[in-house]
Structures are given as C-alpha cells and as structure tokens.
Amino acid sequence: MADSTTGEQNITRFGEEGLRGRLERYRELRITEEELAIALLTPVMLFLLAVSFYPIVDTVWASLHTGYVIQLPTQSTEFVGIENYRKLFSDGSFWNALGVSLFYTFVSVPIELVFGLGLALLLKADFKGKYFAQAAILFPWALPTVINAKIWAWLLNPDYGVISDILVRVGILSAPYPFLSKPDVALYAMTSITIWKTTSFMALIMLAGLSSIPDHLYESARMDGASRWRRFRDITLPLLKPTILVALIFRTLPAFQAFGLPYGLTGGGPGEATTTLVLYTQQAAYNNPGPTNGGFALGSAAATVITMIALVIALIYVATLYEPEVR
Amino acid sequence: MSIVDSVRETRLEDVALWDVGKRLGFYGSILAMVSISMFPVFWILLSSLKPPSELFVFPQEFLPYTIAIEDGQPTLVQQFPLTLENYRTALQERPVGRYLINSAIVASATAFIDVVLGAMAGYALSRLRFPYKLQVLLIILFAALLPFISRLIPLYKLAIDLQGTAFGPFFGLNQYLGLILPYAAFQMPFAVWIFQAYFNELPASLEEAGLMDGLSRVGVLFRIILPVSMPAMATTAIIVFIYAWNEFLFALTFMTQDSKRTITVGIALFGGQFNSPWGTITAAVFMSLVPLMVFMLVFQKKIVEGMTAGVGKA
C-alpha cells in the first residue's frame, strides 16, 4: 500500500509523500482506499457509539447505583453494587416475566419456522395471482405490532368476538369464550397471534434461502430417482441451514423483547400472565421512577439482565453460524 | 405446440385425477393462507362500517346483505345498514391524520439516514482494503444484537436532561429527531449488511473500467456504483421505513404530547383498557392499514428481492 512507510522514510508526519502531496491528492479527490474507508465508516461508527454502545454502558452503570432522578440534578446517585440485582432477583414478578418471555419465545419461534418453510415452499411455485397472494400473505408481517394487538383484542373480545362466534358456529364452543381473561389461555392466545403474524416473515426469509439453491441439484437428483421427500431432506434442508440459523436469530431476539403485543392485547394481564420481560422492565422503570424506589435503577438492572440473556442466545446461534464473508 | 395439440396428445389416463387433485390442493392452500392472513383486516373493515348497535351483539353478522328466496324470487335482505359514522367520530375525536403524518415524517427521515450512511459503510466494507475490516464489521453487526430496552432508559434520561437546553429542539421529548436518531441507529447494522452483501455481488470490472477511464475513486463511487445500487437502496429504505412506522416502545416513551404521537401510539392509547370504543378503534385501525396495504402491493417484490440479497448469502 502506498502509505506503508518504513521508519527511515517516516521523517515527517505525512511520510514520504509529504504534506504537499497529500493536499494535492485531496484537491483532486484522489484519496487512498484507507482514507476513503475511514471517511465512509466514521459517521456510522459515531452513530452506533452514541446511540447504541454508550446507552448500554450507561444502563449497566445505572444498574449499580441508586435510582437516578430525572429533573432533580441535585440528587446524587450512590454506588450500591449489586443491590438492584438482589432486589430484582427477589421479585417474584421478575421470574414470572422471565418464564413468560421464555415460553413465548421458544414456543412461537420453532412453530413459525416450520410453518414459514411450508409457506415458502408453496410460494416458490409460479402461479396465477402470485403477486397478490404474496402481498396478502406478507401483510401480517408489515402490520405494526401494537395495531395487530388491537385487532386481535377485538377479534378475541370476550363477549362479541368473531373468533368465539366462528367456533360457536362450527360447534366447538357453546358460548363466547374469554380467551384473554383466563390466565392459562391468555399466554397461548398471545403466542398464537405472534405465530399468525410472523410466519409470513419466516416465509420471506426461507423464500430467499430457497431461491439461492441451484436448480440443477434438484434436476440431477430427480434423474437419479430421488423421491420428493429425499430431495427435500438431502438437498433443501442442508443447503437451507444457514438461512434457518439467520431466521432463528432474526426472530428469537425480537420475540424475547416482545413489548407491543402484550401492551396492546392484555396490558400484561390477567394478573401477570402475559407480562413479558420488557413489559415488566418498562413498568418497573416508568411506573415507579421516584427517588427512593429507584425505578430507573431497577429497570436498568432488568434491562442489563435482558441484554445478557440476549447476548447468550445470540452467541449460541452465532457460534454455530458465523462464516464472515469479507473480501 | 398449441393448446389443442397438447390436449390431443395427452392420453386420457395421463390426465390423472392426481394432477387435478394436486392443483386443487395447491390453489386451496394458497387461498387458505390468503384468507387466514387477510381475514382480520376484513373483519376490522366490516366492524368499522357497522352501526354501534350491531357491533355489540352475539352472534355477529358477517355480511351486510344476505340473499333470501321470497315468493320464488331471490331478493337482497339488509342485515344492517353500512355507516361511516365511526370514521367521522375517529377523525373528530382524535387527530388520526396528524398521527399518520408524524409517522410518515419519522419513517421517511429514518429510511433516508440509513440509506445514505448504510451505503457508505457497506461500500467501504465490501470494496475497499483497509486494516481491521473484519473487526469493524463485527462491531457494527454486534450492535444489532443489543436489546432495545437497554438503550431506552439512558436515551430517555438524556432527552429529559436536554429539555430546555440548546439541544432540546433536536433531541428532547416530543421531537421527531428523538425518534429518528435511535431508529436509524438500531436499523443501521441491517442497512450496512444489505449494502455490503449487495456490493459483494457486483463485479470488480465495473470499477476498474471507471478507473481506466480516468475517474477518481470518489468519481467511480458517484458515477458508477451509486447508480447501480438503486435496488439495494430501495430495499433498505422500504424495510427501514416499515420498522420505523411500526416501532412502539420508543414512540410511546418519547412522544408524550398528543400532537406528536405516531400512528401506533395514537391507536394504542385510543380508549381505555376496558370499555373500549370499538367502533372508532376499528375505524382508526382501518385508516392506518390503508397506506400499509398500498405499500405492500407496490413494494412487495422489492422486499422479497432485498431479503434474497441480504439473507440468502449469509
């Protein structure tokens, strides 16, 4: 590279080229690859530093102190070590929320994956009206989560809901059923709604993966007399593995951070039956931001725990997946 | 071969019932999937057009009209009158139009920032040689794994602290930038990834040709690379736009003033937890869905293509 100067040549700060040479190049906008790369990457790195990495550090810092009080700058915060974590871990609601989030995540994601793959195999074919069908099937994915929650709250309304109505008409139920006000059932309902919404997203990713599998593999397998199932098991599945792992990361982390759905659907109820970790954290932080209770400190501790768990999940996935594609 | 010929050539036993069944099964499945996906929207539309008295009955009416045979003549029988009353109430009681505009401003600006910065970084990571490239890429992708909630509290505190200072109008509560900047940062790793994957697929000869023609590196970037990366830009813009349009946690926290709320927050705060005004809610929800449905119909192909570029190569 042009800039790699030996110690001997590196007499001036600008190396063999000298300041004049540099200015000359800049004037002509003939900068080196390295300089161009720095110029192109600096905005993104600054952005991420300010809005992603600094807040994480601040959250960890806050979780080790007494509650910081907004709008009262005179109030000082005090280092309390793991006190907030002790408070958090002795709160039954926290463990309940952890359980809810784990159930919600690890039940919905595998089901979405299987349904999504099936849907993608359907959508792979060319057929009349494919464009509209695809748009309609992808629509739930684009639907804002909290609006989705409102829609399903109406569909599952305990007295007038159309889901009860349909189930009564086909004879499964004899009267409207309050799906969202039974503690056991509400979590299943919420999980099902997420599966309804996100299967289309899974299908989208799977479709992308399927289209990257070369057709000639199937051709030659067919010539060799491989059955449809064999072709699926020995060609599609293995070649789809990287896509499946990407899809798992793409869905597991957001599912683990579910907030809008429980907020809009049930408000976390009945009781705490659908209070996810993030909803718990948000409530801990914002319903209780007083100086003594330190809602923000407790919320920060909970947020830090969520970060840790998310990173562990991501690490497990990445360890099985990561093959950097850098030239 | 014309259709007639192909029909003539096909022996009857070849047109197996199996084939017909397969086709029926295929279209049946597609139809079922479309119905399952769109039924909630149909139901919201229907509910929003019902008069309040019809909304709170069980069982519910599925169609405004039915056909009955009266005196041997098929006649339309009205089950309930269709009304726009709910829409009038929604628009009068809540600034639904304002919410939609707020969402559009925030989502467009977020998409714009991510396209510009994502393309820059993606280009550098794909096409340029420089030290610590892999590490830089890993740091950017790592940011995508960090939970949003752990960035919420400090940013909220920051927004409060900046209220009333010179930065307040830029990054305080109830400022568009207060949402735009976090959203752009959260989706940045995704944007960078899409662009990086896209640029990796472009042949190197493109730039070499430009350099031979005497263009500078920057000239190559603007004259050659940017024009051919329109597809990646479109995909990134669409997906980031949808993300920003849909986000809820930050929008709920940062927009405390009704006139600054986005559509998701506006609708979520419609009515109370119990005793919700379902007529106006369904009307507002349907109004919020119309732009989305148009968007999906117009850009669906781009979304699918974009995911192919980004995900298929992982």
Side-chain angles (χ1 to χ4, degrees), chain A residues 29 33-34 36-37 39-41 43-45 47-48 51-53 55-56 58-59 68 70-71 119 122 125 127-128 131-144 146-147 150-155 157 159-162 164-166 168-169 176 196 201 204-205 207-208 211-212 242-243 246 250 253 257 259-260 263 266-267 278 281-282 285-286 296 299-300 303 306-307 310-311 314 322 324-327, chain B residues 26-27 29-30 33-34 36-41 43-44 47 55-60 62 113 117 120-121 123-124 128-131 133-134 136-140 142-143 145-157 160 181-182 184-186 188 193 196 200 216-218 242 245-246 248-249 252-253 264 267-269 273 278 282 285 288-289 292-293 296-298 300-301 303-304 307-308 311-314:
Chain A
L29 277 177
E33 285 196 18
E34 203 175 318
L36 183 58
L40 291 177
L41 281 164
V44 168
M45 297 309 269
F47 220 119
L48 291 182
V51 195
S52 279
F53 292 115
I56 299 278
D58 198 35
T59 297
Y68 44 52
I70 48 179
Q71 287 166 322
L119 193 49
L122 266 185
F127 56 93
K128 242 182 220 164
Y131 197 78
F132 282 96
Q134 207 159 277
I137 289 170
L138 286 181
F139 178 74
W141 162 66
L143 196 60
V146 74
I147 290 178
K150 281 286 167 193
I151 292 177
W152 282 93
W154 173 232
L155 264 58
N157 184 289
D159 303 313
Y160 322 106
V162 66
S164 282
D165 195 331
I166 292 172
V168 167
R169 276 169 209 249
W196 172 82
F201 177 69
L204 187 61
I205 297 180
L207 204 56
S211 66
S212 70
T243 313
V246 169
F250 266 179
L253 294 181
Q257 301 173 50
F259 174 73
Y263 185 99
T266 55
V278 172
T281 307
Q282 193 257 1
Y286 291 94
F296 278 109
S300 297
I306 294 175
T307 306
L311 288 182
Y322 192 65
E325 195 196 1
V326 182
R327 285 176 196 184
Chain B
F26 176 77
Y27 280 104
S29 317
I30 295 285
M33 291 314 301
V34 170
I36 292 172
S37 295
M38 294 310 282
F39 177 78
V41 178
W43 195 252
I44 289 294
S47 301
L55 220 43
F56 300 107
V57 293
F58 194 90
Q60 295 251 313
F62 274 66
I113 292 177
L117 297 190
M120 286 163 55
Y123 179 80
L128 302 177
R129 273 171 297 144
F130 59 93
K133 185 183 194 165
L134 180 61
V136 170
L137 182 65
L138 286 179
I139 288 172
I140 292 175
F142 179 72
L145 304 177
L146 300 170
F148 301 137
I149 184 79
S150 59
R151 292 175 267 192
L152 178 72
I153 297 171
L155 291 177
Y156 178 73
K157 195 187 70 157
I160 298 273
L181 295 179
F186 298 162
M188 194 73 80
W193 189 25
Q196 194 245 8
N200 276 349
S216 68
R217 271 235 154 239
V218 177
I242 290 181
W245 185 275
N246 294 358
F248 180 61
L249 178 57
L252 176 71
T253 309
T264 52
I267 285 181
L269 299 183
Q273 177 82 42
W278 282 111
T282 52
V285 165
S288 80
L289 295 186
L292 200 64
M293 287 190 282
M296 282 307 285
L297 273 177
V298 176
Q300 178 253 119
K301 205 171 160 196
I303 297 173
V304 176
M307 296 308 285
T308 316
V311 175
K313 309 295 178 316

Side-chain angles (χ1 to χ4, degrees), chain A residues 199-217:
Chain A
T199 292
S200 62
F201 177 69
M202 281 291 195
L204 187 61
I205 297 180
M206 293 297 146
L207 204 56
L210 287 178
S211 66
S212 70
I213 300 175
D215 282 335
H216 66 82
L217 288 180

Side-chain angles (χ1 to χ4, degrees), chain A residues 1-5 13-14 17 22 25-26 29-43 45, chain B residues 120-121 123-133 136 217-218 221:
Chain A
M1 217 170 284
D3 267 12
S4 59
T5 51
R13 231 184 107 208
F14 298 100
E17 190 179 27
R22 279 219 159 185
R25 280 194 300 115
Y26 274 116
L29 277 177
R30 290 234 280 222
I31 52 183
T32 66
E33 285 196 18
E34 203 175 318
E35 288 160 344
L36 183 58
I38 291 170
L40 291 177
L41 281 164
T42 304
M45 297 309 269
Chain B
M120 286 163 55
Y123 179 80
L125 289 166
S126 168
R127 303 298 249 199
L128 302 177
R129 273 171 297 144
F130 59 93
Y132 303 113
K133 185 183 194 165
V136 170
R217 271 235 154 239
V218 177
L221 185 56

